[in-house]
Structure formats: C-alpha cells, structure tokens
Amino acid sequence: MHDPDFRTEPAPGALTPLAEIVTGWFTESARNLPWRHPGTTAWSVLVSEVMLQQTPVSRVLPVYEQWLGRWPTPAALAADSAGEAVRLWGKLGYPRRALRLHACAVAITRKHGGVVPDGLTELLSLPGVGEYTARAVQAFAYGRRAAVVDTNVRRVLARAVGGQAQAGPPSTTRDLAAMEAVLPDADTAAALFCAAMMELGAVVCTSASPSCASCPVLGVCAWRLAGSPAYDGPVARPQRFAGTDRQVRGLLMDVLRSAHHPVPQSALDVVWPVDAQRQRAQDALVADGLIDPLPDGRFALPA
DNA sequence: GACCCGTGGTT
DNA sequence: TAACCAAGGGT
C-alpha cells in the first residue's frame, strides 16, 4: 500500500510542523542554564537531571554549581563520602537522590572507567536513573536520538497533539510511544526537539495557567483547535505533607546536615514530639543509609 | 498502579 | 490558607 497522493508524504528526514515550530522557538528563546553551556560534560548533565527531579530550576542552580565545583568528575565524588554528598545537597529535598548520585559516581568509576555510559541498559542500571533520566542523558549529554518524556513533555503532547487539557495518568509505554510518533529521525534534531518540548512545557505551556496567547504552537495546537475543552479525566488525589513521616525525616536530616559532628539521640529527639513517629522516621533513615548509627550511640551522616 | 519519598514558592 | 506545583525513581 502507498499514499495515492505523494505530495502529502513528508520528505525523508523532514520535521513535522510541531517539531519545526517548537525547535525554532527554542533556538531563539531558550533559557540560559548552566547545563546547556558548551563544554558541559555528561557527568554535569547527569547531576543536573537528578537534581531537577521534582525540584524547580531556581533552587537547583546554586547547589548544582557547588556540587560540580567540588566534584567535577564521577571519580572526584566517588573519592568523597556519601555523607558529604548529602550535606552539600542541602535542602533540595528527597536526599536519597544525593545518596544515589554518590552511588552512581562509584559505579561509573568502577564499572565504566569513569565515563558516564551512553547505552540505555547501562544508564538504567545506575541507581536513581530511571526512564526519564536515562534518555535525558542520551539526548542532552551525547546528542543521541531518544524519546525524553518528563511531566512537561507529557503535558505538551496531551495538549498540542492529543487535544486534551491535561495529561492522563503516566504510562511509560504510552508516553514513550506518543513521543516517538513526533520525534525527528536525526540525532541532533531529535535531541533539540526534546529540549524544546520540555522548555515549552516549563515556560509557556504550564500546568495551571498556560500562556496560550504567546505560545508559538498556538496555530497547530489540537487542544486550542478543539476549543480548549475542559479536562474530564481522572483526578489525582492530593498528597499532604504536614504531619507526615516525610516532614519528620526532613527535620531529622536538617539536624544531621547542620551539625558537622556526630550528634546524640537527644539532639534528634527535640525535632518532633510524637515519639513513635519520630522513631519510625529515624529507623527508616537508618535503613535508607541516610543516617549512620555510630558504635558510641551517636548519629552522623554516612561515611 | 498505588504509594512513598522533601522543600518552598505560588495562587 | 490549603492546595497546587516543580526536568522522577523505587518498591
């Protein structure tokens, strides 16, 4: 079978209108972010991607600079302690990411000759590197064609292509297929498109109140062309924070980060009045490897 | 798929 | 002010 009208068949290697517009816009107006600078290493891309997981750019920037200033290579971080990685992580949140990034540095140093791998399987085997981060490294560090799908890309695809106000529940299979369908064929064009889609979602096609009036994709957006119908899909239930174990864990870690020496149990006990919950959180942090119980009964960041 | 894991700015 | 939101990953 073939298309009876050859003129509707895009030329091999040609970009879709969406890709054409988004990449053109990105080339003109991309934010100036340090991990996009020329000379950025694969390691610095990996560090930035992990830090940016669930954390806004503005809060990542200072910590990113500190981390790479101190640990410019995986070997440099691997030679330091996990506790220092956690301490310099500061208040970025989800400190297990710091622990995993340190474990990444060790694995890269020992198993990959100090070079961040570029294969999907090798990347996915690294601690803290999932479907998003692995492909982000392939695309942004190595310029490879990879379907990079984060929350921004999911939202832009849902609107511009799917005609929906919001993205449905995440599904790696569906999400990757949706991105593959519009991803340019060539390596460089594909990587640029991924970055452009993320940027559009982060800056223009935002979650709550998108700036459609200034959107470069307005003319081809399926959602706008459909009259901006309201979202009718499933609604995720909100997650609380106040009073949860996560808050208690955060308070405990703040004590350990601030103290530059081991602390006694009493220093941890003062952060939360509910003994059972505080103890549960503390035990979980020990199990996670974020707190190191010393033989003398005191506690410290991991060695 | 559901749930857990931090933190702080914005609405 | 409570809820929402931010370049996800692991179990």
Side-chain angles (χ1 to χ4, degrees), chain A residues 36 48 68 81 84 106 170 201 210 231 241 250-252:
Chain A
R36 291 174 175 169
S48 74
L68 286 175
S81 73
E84 278 306 287
V106 172
Y231 181 68
F241 175 69
L251 293 171
L252 291 170

Side-chain angles (χ1 to χ4, degrees), chain A residues 165-188:
Chain A
Q166 298 176 216
S171 160
T172 300
T173 304
R174 287 197 304 270
D175 296 340
L176 286 177
M179 187 58 167
E180 272 292 343
V182 294
L183 193 65
D185 295 326
D187 281 321
T188 302

Side-chain angles (χ1 to χ4, degrees), chain A residues 40-47 115-117 137 141-142:
Chain A
T40 298
T41 66
W43 171 242
S44 59
V45 169
L46 176 57
V47 170
V115 180
V116 177
V137 170
Y142 293 112

Side-chain angles (χ1 to χ4, degrees), chain A residues 53-55 94 96 235-247:
Chain A
Q53 292 170 2
Q54 302 289 285
T55 305
Y94 295 142
R96 292 187 296 185
V235 177
R237 104 182 205 292
Q239 58 172 339
R240 292 190 325 281
F241 175 69
T244 63
D245 286 10
R246 291 159 69 194
Q247 182 183 15

Side-chain angles (χ1 to χ4, degrees), chain A residues 35 47-48 51 55-71 84-93 97-98 101:
Chain A
W35 42 87
V47 170
S48 74
M51 286 185 173
T55 305
V57 168
S58 60
R59 286 180 32 216
V60 164
L61 287 173
V63 182
Y64 170 84
E65 301 290 0
Q66 289 177 26
W67 260 60
L68 286 175
R70 180 160 170 182
W71 303 304
E84 278 306 287
V86 172
R87 188 189 308 282
L88 235 63
W89 194 257
K91 308 196 79 170
L92 277 189
R97 290 182 294 166
L101 211 33

